[in-house]
Amino acid sequence: MFTKQVGEMDYRHFHPCYDFSSALLQARQQKGVTQEQVAFALDVSQATYNAWECGHRICPYKHIVGLITYFDDEQFTRRMLRILLSLQHNMAGLNRKTTAELHTYYMKLIALLADECAEWLKTIER
């Protein structure tokens, strides 16, 4: 699946879909709510939410943002961000980059994210 090159981080043991579904289950149980309650809050069917929590279906980005807002939990938010970064990492073919190249890539990504957040905040201040 993934290959590790010299000087590169090993991502073979990280499974974003499994981590996502386990994070959902844990956050829901900690909040003490049912799948139906979460699904209703996100305006999706209980079957759709169940598929996310069981790892049978990938959750769209817009609903990941909704889940972060709904659970309002720093640990859950951090897990979701790690999962999103891992998915981006794999989709962009970054698993073939050296650690130095990855550092540069992610520092640029963080700078862009900070700029976008600042621009977005300007729009809601009006």
Side-chain angles (χ1 to χ4, degrees), residues 36-56:
E36 292 85 5
Q37 290 170 305
V38 180
F40 180 79
L42 295 174
D43 196 28
V44 299
S45 71
Q46 187 272 332
T48 295
Y49 178 82
N50 180 281
W52 299 340
E53 195 173 285
C54 293
H56 298 292

Side-chain angles (χ1 to χ4, degrees), residues 13-64:
H13 302 292
F14 183 79
H15 303 285
C17 289
Y18 171 76
D19 196 47
F20 178 79
S21 62
S22 66
L24 273 184
L25 176 62
Q26 184 179 34
R28 184 177 61 76
Q29 289 175 336
Q30 284 178 345
K31 192 168 176 101
V33 294
T34 65
Q35 288 185 349
E36 292 85 5
Q37 290 170 305
V38 180
F40 180 79
L42 295 174
D43 196 28
V44 299
S45 71
Q46 187 272 332
T48 295
Y49 178 82
N50 180 281
W52 299 340
E53 195 173 285
C54 293
H56 298 292
R57 189 180 295 168
I58 296 173
C59 180
Y61 287 126
K62 71 177 184 175
H63 292 304
I64 292 174

Side-chain angles (χ1 to χ4, degrees), residues 69-84:
T69 302
Y70 179 80
F71 289 120
D72 190 28
D73 177 80
E74 183 178 344
Q75 181 181 355
F76 178 77
T77 300
R78 288 177 179 274
R79 285 180 79 180
M80 291 299 104
L81 290 173
R82 267 186 250 121
I83 289 165
L84 291 171

